[in-house]
Amino acid sequence: MRLLRQPGFTLSVLVLITVAVAIVAPSLLATHDPYLSMPKDRLLPPSPEHLFGTDNLGRDLYSRVVHGTALSIVSAALAVVVGVVVGGLIGLASSFLGGPVDFAIMRVVDVLVAIPGILLALIVVATLGFGPISIGLGVGLGAAGSFARVMRAQVLRVRNEEYVEAARTLGARTPAILFRHVLPNAARPVIAVAALELGTAILGVSALTFLGFGAPPPAPEWGALSSAGRDFIATQPWLSIIPGLVILVVVLSVNRVARAIGGER
């Protein structure tokens, strides 16, 4: 309840609720058909009729941003899930097994972390083909190294606790100890990192769609919308600026709520 008294947190929650509605039922927020071209209305500035203006084909930019929310956020969410699952399993196995296995796995993770995430994502997209799923997988694999390090640190903290030693003494097998005792107690910090990583994933997905690696036109992904307005930046700057501002606001809102989940104020 104390958090709800903070204007920044409250505003961030409202932004995320709006994003959720746009994902589940975009027609409730959109005012026009996002794919309908109206040549007579092309390149109109923001107005009560067209809140974000119109693009070079006369399509309502606000409605395209709303309908593009699902594509952008779902790709970012997929990236976080992939990063948590792959990185978490790597960190879990590495820390619990220990010894030379831990050393070898973590050296591989160091190499993975040293590769820029956007470069790794580009490699994955080039291998699997363009599209939201490929982008989500690529961005997620790029983040897996960070999740592996966090999970490893948490498992190292938990694995010598008394309840884990008791489970070993009672004859519990290693998989049972890992998934019944260690993982639940090591997962909370990883979840907090995952919430923060969602904002980074949105930026990564938007960057790749800006470069043209997302769904083919006329899919209204946020990065693609911002990219499409580059040719008109001097005369109709809203075509690029408004989608970029939407990305910025959503990422800041995600980060604010994630910090609250992690215990910060």
mmCIF file of all heavy atoms in Angstrom, residues 212-263:
data_model
loop_
_atom_site.group_PDB
_atom_site.id
_atom_site.type_symbol
_atom_site.label_atom_id
_atom_site.label_comp_id
_atom_site.label_asym_id
_atom_site.label_seq_id
_atom_site.Cartn_x
_atom_site.Cartn_y
_atom_site.Cartn_z
ATOM 1 N N GLY A 212 15.019 -4.254 -39.083
ATOM 2 C CA GLY A 212 14.294 -4.980 -40.119
ATOM 3 C C GLY A 212 14.289 -6.482 -39.974
ATOM 4 O O GLY A 212 13.975 -7.194 -40.935
ATOM 5 N N PHE A 213 14.612 -7.002 -38.767
ATOM 6 C CA PHE A 213 14.672 -8.445 -38.582
ATOM 7 C C PHE A 213 13.391 -9.019 -37.981
ATOM 8 O O PHE A 213 13.344 -10.210 -37.667
ATOM 9 C CB PHE A 213 15.861 -8.808 -37.677
ATOM 10 C CG PHE A 213 17.193 -8.489 -38.276
ATOM 11 C CD1 PHE A 213 17.927 -7.412 -37.830
ATOM 12 C CD2 PHE A 213 17.699 -9.269 -39.298
ATOM 13 C CE1 PHE A 213 19.160 -7.112 -38.385
ATOM 14 C CE2 PHE A 213 18.923 -8.983 -39.863
ATOM 15 C CZ PHE A 213 19.667 -7.897 -39.413
ATOM 16 N N GLY A 214 12.373 -8.210 -37.809
ATOM 17 C CA GLY A 214 11.136 -8.673 -37.198
ATOM 18 C C GLY A 214 10.164 -9.242 -38.215
ATOM 19 O O GLY A 214 10.539 -9.689 -39.303
ATOM 20 N N ALA A 215 8.893 -9.196 -37.841
ATOM 21 C CA ALA A 215 7.844 -9.686 -38.735
ATOM 22 C C ALA A 215 7.784 -8.801 -39.986
ATOM 23 O O ALA A 215 8.056 -7.600 -39.922
ATOM 24 C CB ALA A 215 6.501 -9.675 -38.008
ATOM 25 N N PRO A 216 7.429 -9.371 -41.126
ATOM 26 C CA PRO A 216 7.381 -8.588 -42.358
ATOM 27 C C PRO A 216 6.257 -7.554 -42.331
ATOM 28 O O PRO A 216 5.269 -7.734 -41.609
ATOM 29 C CB PRO A 216 7.131 -9.641 -43.443
ATOM 30 C CG PRO A 216 6.466 -10.769 -42.718
ATOM 31 C CD PRO A 216 7.060 -10.787 -41.352
ATOM 32 N N PRO A 217 6.404 -6.453 -43.093
ATOM 33 C CA PRO A 217 5.331 -5.460 -43.185
ATOM 34 C C PRO A 217 4.044 -6.120 -43.668
ATOM 35 O O PRO A 217 4.097 -7.123 -44.397
ATOM 36 C CB PRO A 217 5.869 -4.456 -44.210
ATOM 37 C CG PRO A 217 7.348 -4.667 -44.213
ATOM 38 C CD PRO A 217 7.563 -6.114 -43.910
ATOM 39 N N PRO A 218 2.894 -5.612 -43.220
ATOM 40 C CA PRO A 218 2.685 -4.372 -42.460
ATOM 41 C C PRO A 218 2.599 -4.565 -40.952
ATOM 42 O O PRO A 218 1.914 -3.801 -40.279
ATOM 43 C CB PRO A 218 1.341 -3.896 -43.009
ATOM 44 C CG PRO A 218 0.588 -5.178 -43.267
ATOM 45 C CD PRO A 218 1.615 -6.176 -43.707
ATOM 46 N N ALA A 219 3.263 -5.584 -40.396
ATOM 47 C CA ALA A 219 3.221 -5.812 -38.954
ATOM 48 C C ALA A 219 3.702 -4.565 -38.211
ATOM 49 O O ALA A 219 4.788 -4.045 -38.507
ATOM 50 C CB ALA A 219 4.091 -7.009 -38.595
ATOM 51 N N PRO A 220 2.922 -4.066 -37.254
ATOM 52 C CA PRO A 220 3.251 -2.789 -36.605
ATOM 53 C C PRO A 220 4.102 -2.929 -35.345
ATOM 54 O O PRO A 220 3.741 -2.433 -34.280
ATOM 55 C CB PRO A 220 1.858 -2.231 -36.275
ATOM 56 C CG PRO A 220 1.035 -3.438 -35.986
ATOM 57 C CD PRO A 220 1.569 -4.535 -36.863
ATOM 58 N N GLU A 221 5.231 -3.620 -35.444
ATOM 59 C CA GLU A 221 6.118 -3.703 -34.293
ATOM 60 C C GLU A 221 6.691 -2.327 -33.978
ATOM 61 O O GLU A 221 6.942 -1.519 -34.878
ATOM 62 C CB GLU A 221 7.243 -4.697 -34.566
ATOM 63 C CG GLU A 221 6.758 -6.142 -34.652
ATOM 64 C CD GLU A 221 7.860 -7.093 -35.071
ATOM 65 O OE1 GLU A 221 8.540 -6.783 -36.070
ATOM 66 O OE2 GLU A 221 8.033 -8.126 -34.426
ATOM 67 N N TRP A 222 6.929 -2.064 -32.705
ATOM 68 C CA TRP A 222 7.342 -0.720 -32.285
ATOM 69 C C TRP A 222 8.635 -0.274 -32.955
ATOM 70 O O TRP A 222 8.731 0.849 -33.446
ATOM 71 C CB TRP A 222 7.500 -0.684 -30.774
ATOM 72 C CG TRP A 222 6.197 -0.754 -30.042
ATOM 73 C CD1 TRP A 222 4.946 -0.617 -30.573
ATOM 74 C CD2 TRP A 222 6.004 -0.973 -28.644
ATOM 75 N NE1 TRP A 222 3.990 -0.738 -29.605
ATOM 76 C CE2 TRP A 222 4.601 -0.946 -28.407
ATOM 77 C CE3 TRP A 222 6.865 -1.180 -27.576
ATOM 78 C CZ2 TRP A 222 4.064 -1.135 -27.128
ATOM 79 C CZ3 TRP A 222 6.337 -1.373 -26.313
ATOM 80 C CH2 TRP A 222 4.953 -1.346 -26.092
ATOM 81 N N GLY A 223 9.639 -1.131 -32.957
ATOM 82 C CA GLY A 223 10.901 -0.760 -33.595
ATOM 83 C C GLY A 223 10.737 -0.520 -35.081
ATOM 84 O O GLY A 223 11.327 0.411 -35.644
ATOM 85 N N ALA A 224 9.915 -1.335 -35.730
ATOM 86 C CA ALA A 224 9.674 -1.167 -37.171
ATOM 87 C C ALA A 224 8.941 0.134 -37.452
ATOM 88 O O ALA A 224 9.202 0.806 -38.469
ATOM 89 C CB ALA A 224 8.878 -2.354 -37.704
ATOM 90 N N LEU A 225 8.005 0.519 -36.575
ATOM 91 C CA LEU A 225 7.290 1.785 -36.753
ATOM 92 C C LEU A 225 8.253 2.961 -36.673
ATOM 93 O O LEU A 225 8.174 3.910 -37.462
ATOM 94 C CB LEU A 225 6.202 1.931 -35.698
ATOM 95 C CG LEU A 225 5.012 0.962 -35.798
ATOM 96 C CD1 LEU A 225 4.049 1.191 -34.643
ATOM 97 C CD2 LEU A 225 4.286 1.130 -37.128
ATOM 98 N N SER A 226 9.150 2.908 -35.699
ATOM 99 C CA SER A 226 10.129 3.990 -35.568
ATOM 100 C C SER A 226 11.066 4.031 -36.765
ATOM 101 O O SER A 226 11.422 5.105 -37.263
ATOM 102 C CB SER A 226 10.932 3.801 -34.274
ATOM 103 O OG SER A 226 11.776 4.893 -34.032
ATOM 104 N N SER A 227 11.436 2.853 -37.267
ATOM 105 C CA SER A 227 12.316 2.789 -38.433
ATOM 106 C C SER A 227 11.630 3.330 -39.679
ATOM 107 O O SER A 227 12.247 4.019 -40.498
ATOM 108 C CB SER A 227 12.762 1.348 -38.658
ATOM 109 O OG SER A 227 13.547 1.235 -39.821
ATOM 110 N N ALA A 228 10.326 3.027 -39.827
ATOM 111 C CA ALA A 228 9.600 3.458 -41.026
ATOM 112 C C ALA A 228 9.499 4.966 -41.137
ATOM 113 O O ALA A 228 9.323 5.507 -42.229
ATOM 114 C CB ALA A 228 8.198 2.843 -41.025
ATOM 115 N N GLY A 229 9.598 5.660 -40.011
ATOM 116 C CA GLY A 229 9.484 7.115 -40.047
ATOM 117 C C GLY A 229 10.775 7.851 -40.312
ATOM 118 O O GLY A 229 10.788 9.092 -40.387
ATOM 119 N N ARG A 230 11.889 7.115 -40.487
ATOM 120 C CA ARG A 230 13.183 7.780 -40.673
ATOM 121 C C ARG A 230 13.225 8.643 -41.933
ATOM 122 O O ARG A 230 13.866 9.691 -41.954
ATOM 123 C CB ARG A 230 14.304 6.743 -40.731
ATOM 124 C CG ARG A 230 14.627 6.087 -39.412
ATOM 125 C CD ARG A 230 15.732 5.060 -39.575
ATOM 126 N NE ARG A 230 15.341 4.005 -40.505
ATOM 127 C CZ ARG A 230 16.190 3.093 -40.989
ATOM 128 N NH1 ARG A 230 17.467 3.137 -40.659
ATOM 129 N NH2 ARG A 230 15.751 2.158 -41.828
ATOM 130 N N ASP A 231 12.546 8.203 -42.976
ATOM 131 C CA ASP A 231 12.582 8.954 -44.232
ATOM 132 C C ASP A 231 11.855 10.283 -44.127
ATOM 133 O O ASP A 231 12.015 11.148 -45.000
ATOM 134 C CB ASP A 231 11.957 8.119 -45.363
ATOM 135 C CG ASP A 231 12.762 6.876 -45.682
ATOM 136 O OD1 ASP A 231 13.966 6.867 -45.381
ATOM 137 O OD2 ASP A 231 12.178 5.914 -46.223
ATOM 138 N N PHE A 232 11.075 10.451 -43.063
ATOM 139 C CA PHE A 232 10.281 11.682 -42.923
ATOM 140 C C PHE A 232 10.670 12.448 -41.655
ATOM 141 O O PHE A 232 9.916 13.295 -41.189
ATOM 142 C CB PHE A 232 8.786 11.329 -42.860
ATOM 143 C CG PHE A 232 8.323 10.450 -43.985
ATOM 144 C CD1 PHE A 232 8.265 9.072 -43.839
ATOM 145 C CD2 PHE A 232 7.964 10.995 -45.212
ATOM 146 C CE1 PHE A 232 7.847 8.255 -44.875
ATOM 147 C CE2 PHE A 232 7.549 10.196 -46.253
ATOM 148 C CZ PHE A 232 7.490 8.820 -46.082
ATOM 149 N N ILE A 233 11.843 12.145 -41.109
ATOM 150 C CA ILE A 233 12.229 12.698 -39.813
ATOM 151 C C ILE A 233 12.346 14.215 -39.861
ATOM 152 O O ILE A 233 12.115 14.903 -38.864
ATOM 153 C CB ILE A 233 13.548 12.060 -39.329
ATOM 154 C CG1 ILE A 233 13.801 12.392 -37.852
ATOM 155 C CG2 ILE A 233 14.721 12.488 -40.189
ATOM 156 C CD1 ILE A 233 12.849 11.762 -36.904
ATOM 157 N N ALA A 234 12.699 14.777 -41.001
ATOM 158 C CA ALA A 234 12.884 16.223 -41.095
ATOM 159 C C ALA A 234 11.562 16.974 -41.165
ATOM 160 O O ALA A 234 11.456 18.110 -40.686
ATOM 161 C CB ALA A 234 13.744 16.570 -42.320
ATOM 162 N N THR A 235 10.538 16.356 -41.740
ATOM 163 C CA THR A 235 9.269 17.061 -41.938
ATOM 164 C C THR A 235 8.129 16.521 -41.078
ATOM 165 O O THR A 235 7.238 17.272 -40.692
ATOM 166 C CB THR A 235 8.849 16.963 -43.420
ATOM 167 O OG1 THR A 235 8.834 15.580 -43.820
ATOM 168 C CG2 THR A 235 9.827 17.728 -44.306
ATOM 169 N N GLN A 236 8.130 15.222 -40.785
ATOM 170 C CA GLN A 236 7.098 14.598 -39.936
ATOM 171 C C GLN A 236 7.785 13.787 -38.841
ATOM 172 O O GLN A 236 7.743 12.544 -38.839
ATOM 173 C CB GLN A 236 6.158 13.696 -40.759
ATOM 174 C CG GLN A 236 5.205 14.434 -41.668
ATOM 175 C CD GLN A 236 5.821 14.812 -43.005
ATOM 176 O OE1 GLN A 236 6.773 14.165 -43.453
ATOM 177 N NE2 GLN A 236 5.316 15.851 -43.648
ATOM 178 N N PRO A 237 8.438 14.441 -37.903
ATOM 179 C CA PRO A 237 9.256 13.726 -36.913
ATOM 180 C C PRO A 237 8.460 12.811 -35.989
ATOM 181 O O PRO A 237 9.030 11.893 -35.403
ATOM 182 C CB PRO A 237 9.931 14.856 -36.128
ATOM 183 C CG PRO A 237 9.049 16.047 -36.317
ATOM 184 C CD PRO A 237 8.486 15.910 -37.703
ATOM 185 N N TRP A 238 7.144 13.061 -35.861
ATOM 186 C CA TRP A 238 6.359 12.239 -34.942
ATOM 187 C C TRP A 238 6.330 10.764 -35.360
ATOM 188 O O TRP A 238 6.127 9.882 -34.533
ATOM 189 C CB TRP A 238 4.932 12.772 -34.851
ATOM 190 C CG TRP A 238 4.147 12.740 -36.132
ATOM 191 C CD1 TRP A 238 3.449 11.693 -36.637
ATOM 192 C CD2 TRP A 238 4.009 13.805 -37.075
ATOM 193 N NE1 TRP A 238 2.881 12.037 -37.844
ATOM 194 C CE2 TRP A 238 3.201 13.323 -38.140
ATOM 195 C CE3 TRP A 238 4.475 15.124 -37.127
ATOM 196 C CZ2 TRP A 238 2.867 14.115 -39.225
ATOM 197 C CZ3 TRP A 238 4.139 15.902 -38.219
ATOM 198 C CH2 TRP A 238 3.343 15.402 -39.254
ATOM 199 N N LEU A 239 6.548 10.489 -36.641
ATOM 200 C CA LEU A 239 6.491 9.103 -37.118
ATOM 201 C C LEU A 239 7.567 8.233 -36.451
ATOM 202 O O LEU A 239 7.346 7.040 -36.224
ATOM 203 C CB LEU A 239 6.655 9.055 -38.635
ATOM 204 C CG LEU A 239 5.510 9.665 -39.451
ATOM 205 C CD1 LEU A 239 5.849 9.645 -40.933
ATOM 206 C CD2 LEU A 239 4.217 8.915 -39.187
ATOM 207 N N SER A 240 8.714 8.815 -36.155
ATOM 208 C CA SER A 240 9.775 8.076 -35.470
ATOM 209 C C SER A 240 9.797 8.347 -33.975
ATOM 210 O O SER A 240 10.045 7.440 -33.177
ATOM 211 C CB SER A 240 11.143 8.435 -36.065
ATOM 212 O OG SER A 240 11.367 7.784 -37.293
ATOM 213 N N ILE A 241 9.525 9.587 -33.603
ATOM 214 C CA ILE A 241 9.677 9.980 -32.201
ATOM 215 C C ILE A 241 8.619 9.336 -31.317
ATOM 216 O O ILE A 241 8.924 8.835 -30.222
ATOM 217 C CB ILE A 241 9.640 11.519 -32.073
ATOM 218 C CG1 ILE A 241 10.888 12.123 -32.726
ATOM 219 C CG2 ILE A 241 9.543 11.932 -30.616
ATOM 220 C CD1 ILE A 241 10.884 13.633 -32.752
ATOM 221 N N ILE A 242 7.369 9.321 -31.749
ATOM 222 C CA ILE A 242 6.296 8.810 -30.881
ATOM 223 C C ILE A 242 6.463 7.323 -30.573
ATOM 224 O O ILE A 242 6.386 6.930 -29.403
ATOM 225 C CB ILE A 242 4.919 9.130 -31.491
ATOM 226 C CG1 ILE A 242 4.659 10.638 -31.416
ATOM 227 C CG2 ILE A 242 3.822 8.359 -30.769
ATOM 228 C CD1 ILE A 242 3.337 11.078 -32.000
ATOM 229 N N PRO A 243 6.715 6.448 -31.552
ATOM 230 C CA PRO A 243 6.976 5.041 -31.183
ATOM 231 C C PRO A 243 8.181 4.890 -30.261
ATOM 232 O O PRO A 243 8.172 4.050 -29.354
ATOM 233 C CB PRO A 243 7.217 4.358 -32.531
ATOM 234 C CG PRO A 243 6.489 5.211 -33.517
ATOM 235 C CD PRO A 243 6.648 6.605 -33.020
ATOM 236 N N GLY A 244 9.200 5.711 -30.483
ATOM 237 C CA GLY A 244 10.362 5.670 -29.588
ATOM 238 C C GLY A 244 10.008 6.078 -28.175
ATOM 239 O O GLY A 244 10.488 5.483 -27.200
ATOM 240 N N LEU A 245 9.174 7.105 -28.036
ATOM 241 C CA LEU A 245 8.737 7.532 -26.705
ATOM 242 C C LEU A 245 7.893 6.462 -26.023
ATOM 243 O O LEU A 245 7.981 6.275 -24.805
ATOM 244 C CB LEU A 245 7.948 8.845 -26.810
ATOM 245 C CG LEU A 245 8.754 10.097 -27.135
ATOM 246 C CD1 LEU A 245 7.828 11.301 -27.292
ATOM 247 C CD2 LEU A 245 9.778 10.374 -26.039
ATOM 248 N N VAL A 246 7.071 5.767 -26.799
ATOM 249 C CA VAL A 246 6.277 4.664 -26.233
ATOM 250 C C VAL A 246 7.201 3.591 -25.669
ATOM 251 O O VAL A 246 7.002 3.094 -24.550
ATOM 252 C CB VAL A 246 5.335 4.076 -27.298
ATOM 253 C CG1 VAL A 246 4.686 2.791 -26.786
ATOM 254 C CG2 VAL A 246 4.250 5.084 -27.664
ATOM 255 N N ILE A 247 8.221 3.219 -26.424
ATOM 256 C CA ILE A 247 9.192 2.241 -25.948
ATOM 257 C C ILE A 247 9.851 2.730 -24.665
ATOM 258 O O ILE A 247 9.979 1.984 -23.684
ATOM 259 C CB ILE A 247 10.261 1.971 -27.025
ATOM 260 C CG1 ILE A 247 9.619 1.322 -28.254
ATOM 261 C CG2 ILE A 247 11.372 1.077 -26.484
ATOM 262 C CD1 ILE A 247 10.539 1.260 -29.463
ATOM 263 N N LEU A 248 10.252 3.995 -24.642
ATOM 264 C CA LEU A 248 10.920 4.565 -23.474
ATOM 265 C C LEU A 248 10.020 4.515 -22.242
ATOM 266 O O LEU A 248 10.442 4.093 -21.156
ATOM 267 C CB LEU A 248 11.328 6.007 -23.775
ATOM 268 C CG LEU A 248 11.944 6.805 -22.618
ATOM 269 C CD1 LEU A 248 13.262 6.171 -22.180
ATOM 270 C CD2 LEU A 248 12.157 8.255 -23.025
ATOM 271 N N VAL A 249 8.774 4.943 -22.391
ATOM 272 C CA VAL A 249 7.845 4.977 -21.255
ATOM 273 C C VAL A 249 7.581 3.575 -20.719
ATOM 274 O O VAL A 249 7.575 3.353 -19.499
ATOM 275 C CB VAL A 249 6.525 5.664 -21.668
ATOM 276 C CG1 VAL A 249 5.460 5.477 -20.596
ATOM 277 C CG2 VAL A 249 6.757 7.148 -21.925
ATOM 278 N N VAL A 250 7.391 2.624 -21.610
ATOM 279 C CA VAL A 250 7.118 1.249 -21.171
ATOM 280 C C VAL A 250 8.332 0.660 -20.452
ATOM 281 O O VAL A 250 8.202 0.017 -19.404
ATOM 282 C CB VAL A 250 6.699 0.370 -22.359
ATOM 283 C CG1 VAL A 250 6.617 -1.102 -21.947
ATOM 284 C CG2 VAL A 250 5.365 0.837 -22.922
ATOM 285 N N VAL A 251 9.520 0.876 -20.995
ATOM 286 C CA VAL A 251 10.733 0.342 -20.369
ATOM 287 C C VAL A 251 10.946 0.969 -18.988
ATOM 288 O O VAL A 251 11.261 0.258 -18.016
ATOM 289 C CB VAL A 251 11.954 0.582 -21.275
ATOM 290 C CG1 VAL A 251 13.249 0.268 -20.529
ATOM 291 C CG2 VAL A 251 11.865 -0.270 -22.526
ATOM 292 N N LEU A 252 10.773 2.274 -18.875
ATOM 293 C CA LEU A 252 10.923 2.924 -17.571
ATOM 294 C C LEU A 252 9.889 2.411 -16.570
ATOM 295 O O LEU A 252 10.190 2.225 -15.388
ATOM 296 C CB LEU A 252 10.796 4.448 -17.729
ATOM 297 C CG LEU A 252 11.939 5.146 -18.468
ATOM 298 C CD1 LEU A 252 11.634 6.634 -18.624
ATOM 299 C CD2 LEU A 252 13.265 4.959 -17.731
ATOM 300 N N SER A 253 8.674 2.168 -17.038
ATOM 301 C CA SER A 253 7.623 1.658 -16.162
ATOM 302 C C SER A 253 7.954 0.243 -15.695
ATOM 303 O O SER A 253 7.782 -0.096 -14.515
ATOM 304 C CB SER A 253 6.273 1.675 -16.888
ATOM 305 O OG SER A 253 5.912 2.998 -17.244
ATOM 306 N N VAL A 254 8.417 -0.595 -16.612
ATOM 307 C CA VAL A 254 8.811 -1.956 -16.248
ATOM 308 C C VAL A 254 9.928 -1.932 -15.212
ATOM 309 O O VAL A 254 9.895 -2.660 -14.208
ATOM 310 C CB VAL A 254 9.247 -2.739 -17.499
ATOM 311 C CG1 VAL A 254 9.928 -4.051 -17.109
ATOM 312 C CG2 VAL A 254 8.055 -3.027 -18.388
ATOM 313 N N ASN A 255 10.923 -1.081 -15.427
ATOM 314 C CA ASN A 255 12.044 -1.009 -14.498
ATOM 315 C C ASN A 255 11.609 -0.512 -13.122
ATOM 316 O O ASN A 255 12.097 -0.992 -12.091
ATOM 317 C CB ASN A 255 13.139 -0.102 -15.063
ATOM 318 C CG ASN A 255 13.867 -0.733 -16.224
ATOM 319 O OD1 ASN A 255 13.751 -1.935 -16.471
ATOM 320 N ND2 ASN A 255 14.619 0.052 -16.974
ATOM 321 N N ARG A 256 10.678 0.455 -13.096
ATOM 322 C CA ARG A 256 10.211 0.974 -11.803
ATOM 323 C C ARG A 256 9.487 -0.099 -11.011
ATOM 324 O O ARG A 256 9.715 -0.259 -9.802
ATOM 325 C CB ARG A 256 9.296 2.187 -12.033
ATOM 326 C CG ARG A 256 8.725 2.781 -10.744
ATOM 327 C CD ARG A 256 9.852 3.363 -9.912
ATOM 328 N NE ARG A 256 9.380 3.835 -8.618
ATOM 329 C CZ ARG A 256 9.317 3.106 -7.515
ATOM 330 N NH1 ARG A 256 9.689 1.824 -7.562
ATOM 331 N NH2 ARG A 256 8.895 3.607 -6.385
ATOM 332 N N VAL A 257 8.606 -0.822 -11.663
ATOM 333 C CA VAL A 257 7.875 -1.879 -10.979
ATOM 334 C C VAL A 257 8.818 -3.023 -10.596
ATOM 335 O O VAL A 257 8.689 -3.620 -9.528
ATOM 336 C CB VAL A 257 6.728 -2.394 -11.860
ATOM 337 C CG1 VAL A 257 6.038 -3.596 -11.234
ATOM 338 C CG2 VAL A 257 5.706 -1.277 -12.096
ATOM 339 N N ALA A 258 9.784 -3.335 -11.468
ATOM 340 C CA ALA A 258 10.730 -4.408 -11.166
ATOM 341 C C ALA A 258 11.574 -4.075 -9.951
ATOM 342 O O ALA A 258 11.876 -4.955 -9.127
ATOM 343 C CB ALA A 258 11.617 -4.654 -12.383
ATOM 344 N N ARG A 259 11.988 -2.820 -9.819
ATOM 345 C CA ARG A 259 12.760 -2.435 -8.635
ATOM 346 C C ARG A 259 11.921 -2.605 -7.367
ATOM 347 O O ARG A 259 12.446 -2.991 -6.319
ATOM 348 C CB ARG A 259 13.247 -0.993 -8.760
ATOM 349 C CG ARG A 259 14.328 -0.792 -9.798
ATOM 350 C CD ARG A 259 15.093 0.501 -9.564
ATOM 351 N NE ARG A 259 14.191 1.656 -9.543
ATOM 352 C CZ ARG A 259 13.837 2.342 -10.608
ATOM 353 N NH1 ARG A 259 14.314 1.989 -11.797
ATOM 354 N NH2 ARG A 259 13.037 3.385 -10.512
ATOM 355 N N ALA A 260 10.648 -2.324 -7.474
ATOM 356 C CA ALA A 260 9.768 -2.516 -6.314
ATOM 357 C C ALA A 260 9.643 -3.995 -5.954
ATOM 358 O O ALA A 260 9.649 -4.368 -4.786
ATOM 359 C CB ALA A 260 8.384 -1.924 -6.606
ATOM 360 N N ILE A 261 9.548 -4.846 -6.988
ATOM 361 C CA ILE A 261 9.501 -6.289 -6.745
ATOM 362 C C ILE A 261 10.776 -6.762 -6.064
ATOM 363 O O ILE A 261 10.758 -7.614 -5.180
ATOM 364 C CB ILE A 261 9.283 -7.061 -8.061
ATOM 365 C CG1 ILE A 261 7.897 -6.753 -8.629
ATOM 366 C CG2 ILE A 261 9.462 -8.562 -7.868
ATOM 367 C CD1 ILE A 261 7.661 -7.346 -10.005
ATOM 368 N N GLY A 262 11.896 -6.157 -6.467
ATOM 369 C CA GLY A 262 13.187 -6.542 -5.894
ATOM 370 C C GLY A 262 13.451 -5.960 -4.525
ATOM 371 O O GLY A 262 14.499 -6.213 -3.929
ATOM 372 N N GLY A 263 12.533 -5.154 -4.019
ATOM 373 C CA GLY A 263 12.685 -4.630 -2.666
ATOM 374 C C GLY A 263 13.165 -3.199 -2.587
ATOM 375 O O GLY A 263 13.282 -2.635 -1.496
#
